[in-house]
Amino acid sequence: MENVISINHGATKWDIRQKVWDYIEANNLANFPRPVHNRIPNFKGAHGACNKVSELEVFSRTNEVKVDPDKPLEGARLLVLQAKKTLLVPTPRLRTGLFNKIVPPQGASKEDLRVCSTSQGVKDFSVPIGLDAKVKVDLVVVGSVAVSEKGYRIGKGEGYADMEYGMMVAMGAVNESTVIVTVVHDCQVVDIPEELIDSHDITVDYILTPTRVIQTKCEREKPPGIIWSKVDADMLDKIPILKKLRDMEQEAGKDVTLKKSPEGASKPERPRREPARAPKRDPKGQSKQAEHQGEPQEMAGHWEASSVPEPRAASQASVTTVYLGNIPAGVRVSELKSALREREAVPLRLTWQGAQHRAFLDYASQQTADGALAALQGLSIHGHTLQPELAKSQRGDRSRPPGQPRRRRPKASANTPAAAPDDTPSTASPDKPRPRRPTPKTEVENLPSS
């Protein structure tokens, strides 16, 4: 079968990613979340392709299966649970460990198992697995941006799948004979030059698409473990479990020399996260703060990293606020938070003004806010399509497409709640109460940063 995307000579990994993402978007081949850029694409037909995992002879012999948390692999996670095999899912961005074991509720129904296979279910029904656990993974299912029939794989560029495999080798969970499968759309099967594949890149044994099962018979050796010469000190800081593995391998007498930073290059200082501050209260006490320390975040980062909230800097000058209007009456803040996590648009802080049918979302940068705006287009709750746009204080004319006149605010009627897209959150200007207008009930929620 001829590949539909041709790769030019001399193309880089990034060139190939971009070409695949552009093709999928141009041909409308993906489901939510969109756009697919910087993600493992949730392609149309993913569930059917995932079902082909059960057709593999190796699946009948497996007991423990590791499946990446990407959205298009939900079907594979469900299949493992339905077969009553042990499902292991990597922790988001490897922050707290390597694996979570998914434990469905006692007597789980088909619907319970479906929920357990989703991102929310993975959070609600997971048990962490430590480095000292005796884990033997028989099958690994990974997401990909592009893959070749020779088994060469390209992810979204962050290297977590490769790092996870190296860590599994280090803890004895996998070996050279462990079968690796990827599930992609047919268009994601492209020609990848072997010279682009590095020693730490994993290769795949099977490619499952909506129309094909491809056995790659890849002859290239899989990574022998963590290649410490490709790990730098910054990566150790981001992935604490790496430190433990490095200490273990150092005690075993292995060479754990890290990658050296370029001479003269200074490591950028990571912004310090400021403690959450309660908003000012008015005399009537109509504002309250609810902090959710340690609340699990939607599968961001590894669960599609492009929407991971950035660390909050000490200066608030760079924070960009998104207005979210047309929130129907009766919606709870927890419902909105769940929708934001599902769309991978988790903000640093959420200012809730449900009585005014609106909320304000703070993001750490303009780029992050733009990504959230794109992800929130078409968001509907209780049958109402919400209205996302930049708050007036920073949007200027950026929120209007070229050539589109400035929109006038419609007059509120008795049946229509008064939307206020040009307003900034009441918490932003606490010293300027508006006459002849009741002070809105406001909840400020500082959400965990990654």
Side-chain angles (χ1 to χ4, degrees):
M1 181 175 177
E2 186 177 350
N3 298 333
V4 296
I5 299 178
S6 59
I7 304 300
N8 298 328
H9 177 72
T12 64
K13 284 184 178 179
W14 187 255
D15 294 333
I16 295 174
R17 292 186 188 102
Q18 198 66 38
K19 203 157 190 176
V20 171
W21 286 328
D22 289 347
Y23 184 90
I24 291 175
E25 280 296 325
N27 292 276
N28 193 30
L29 297 177
N31 295 316
F32 167 84
R34 301 277 293 274
V36 298
H37 294 80
N38 302 309
R39 307 179 190 272
I40 300 297
N42 183 25
F43 61 92
K44 293 179 179 179
H47 201 277
C50 285
N51 284 339
K52 294 184 179 182
V53 171
S54 63
E55 298 176 13
L56 302 177
E57 192 272 334
V58 65
F59 185 74
S60 63
R61 297 184 279 106
T62 60
N63 293 312
E64 296 184 327
V65 184
K66 177 253 187 184
V67 183
D68 279 354
D70 306 304
K71 181 70 173 176
L73 300 183
E74 269 187 15
R77 296 193 291 273
L78 176 58
L79 190 71
V80 173
L81 292 174
Q82 288 176 331
K84 297 184 178 180
K85 299 179 185 293
T86 299
L87 173 60
L88 302 174
V89 179
T91 59
R93 303 184 75 80
L94 303 176
R95 288 188 295 263
T96 58
L98 178 54
F99 290 131
N100 280 331
K101 177 182 177 181
I102 310 307
V103 182
Q106 190 73 22
S109 64
K110 290 182 179 179
E111 178 60 21
D112 290 333
L113 295 181
R114 188 198 65 78
V115 170
C116 288
S117 69
T118 66
S119 55
Q120 185 66 43
V122 167
K123 288 185 303 182
D124 293 342
F125 297 97
S126 63
V127 176
I129 301 295
L131 286 179
D132 55 348
K134 299 299 181 183
V135 176
K136 180 63 176 176
V137 177
D138 306 300
L139 179 65
V140 175
V141 183
V142 298
S144 302
V145 173
V147 64
S148 78
E149 293 191 27
K150 294 182 178 180
Y152 308 147
R153 171 194 173 272
I154 295 177
K156 60 179 178 286
E158 294 196 318
Y160 281 100
D162 302 317
M163 179 59 69
E164 288 160 8
Y165 183 84
M167 293 166 71
M168 286 191 291
V169 173
M171 64 184 292
V174 297
N175 54 40
E176 179 64 27
S177 64
T178 304
V179 175
I180 301 180
V181 175
T182 192
V183 184
V184 296
H185 191 275
D186 288 278
C187 75
Q188 293 173 258
V189 181
V190 302
D191 292 324
I192 300 175
E194 185 174 4
E195 56 266 26
L196 292 183
I197 305 305
D198 209 337
S199 57
H200 65 276
D201 291 325
I202 60 173
T203 55
V204 303
D205 301 295
Y206 289 91
I207 303 169
L208 308 183
T209 79
T211 66
R212 293 190 287 170
V213 174
I214 304 170
Q215 185 175 5
T216 67
K217 299 181 180 179
C218 185
E219 297 180 357
R220 188 182 181 93
E221 291 185 358
K222 294 183 174 68
I226 300 172
I227 303 175
W228 294 105
S229 60
K230 295 184 179 295
V231 177
D232 57 24
D234 187 50
M235 190 175 293
L236 278 184
D237 289 339
K238 292 179 180 177
I239 308 176
I241 192 175
L242 267 182
K243 295 180 181 178
K244 297 180 181 179
L245 284 171
R246 184 169 181 249
D247 290 341
M248 289 168 55
E249 296 208 344
Q250 191 170 30
E251 289 178 6
K254 295 185 179 180
D255 183 3
V256 294
T257 305
L258 298 179
K259 176 182 179 181
K260 294 182 179 179
S261 301
E263 204 168 320
S266 58
K267 181 181 175 182
E269 185 177 347
R270 298 178 70 185
R272 180 180 298 174
R273 184 182 177 192
E274 287 201 337
R277 295 180 180 179
K280 295 182 179 180
R281 288 180 175 269
D282 60 28
K284 296 181 180 180
Q286 291 172 311
S287 179
K288 65 179 181 178
Q289 172 139 339
E291 293 189 28
H292 294 259
Q293 299 294 341
E295 178 187 4
Q297 183 176 300
E298 181 65 22
M299 298 179 176
H302 187 52
W303 318 87
E304 313 302 346
S306 61
S307 300
V308 177
E310 299 173 12
R312 194 169 193 175
S315 170
Q316 297 298 310
S318 63
V319 170
T320 302
T321 302
V322 169
Y323 162 86
L324 196 59
N326 199 35
I327 298 175
V331 172
R332 298 180 178 181
V333 66
S334 60
E335 293 179 274
L336 177 59
K337 287 165 56 184
S338 178
L340 293 175
R341 285 194 293 264
E342 181 65 25
R343 293 239 170 176
E344 298 176 5
V346 178
L348 292 172
R349 186 177 72 162
L350 185 155
T351 303
W352 174 252
Q353 295 178 353
Q356 303 300 315
H357 309 282
R358 66 189 181 192
F360 296 88
L361 316 175
D362 287 347
Y363 293 94
S365 69
Q366 184 67 60
Q367 182 180 6
T368 309
D370 287 343
L373 281 170
L376 294 175
Q377 294 302 316
L379 173 61
S380 177
I381 299 181
H382 293 189
H384 290 247
T385 300
L386 274 55
Q387 172 193 345
E389 56 187 72
L390 288 175
K392 179 183 177 183
S393 59
Q394 58 232 320
R395 76 172 183 248
D397 288 331
R398 293 183 74 257
S399 62
R400 288 187 292 125
Q404 179 176 320
R406 184 181 297 278
R407 183 178 59 192
R408 294 185 179 182
R409 187 190 308 175
K411 294 182 179 179
S413 66
N415 299 322
T416 305
D422 290 343
D423 289 342
T424 52
S426 61
T427 53
S429 302
D431 300 327
K432 296 182 180 180
R434 305 181 190 278
R436 300 185 302 278
R437 186 174 181 178
T439 304
K441 184 177 180 180
T442 304
E443 271 187 44
V444 179
E445 304 213 4
N446 291 281
L447 304 183
S449 62
S450 165

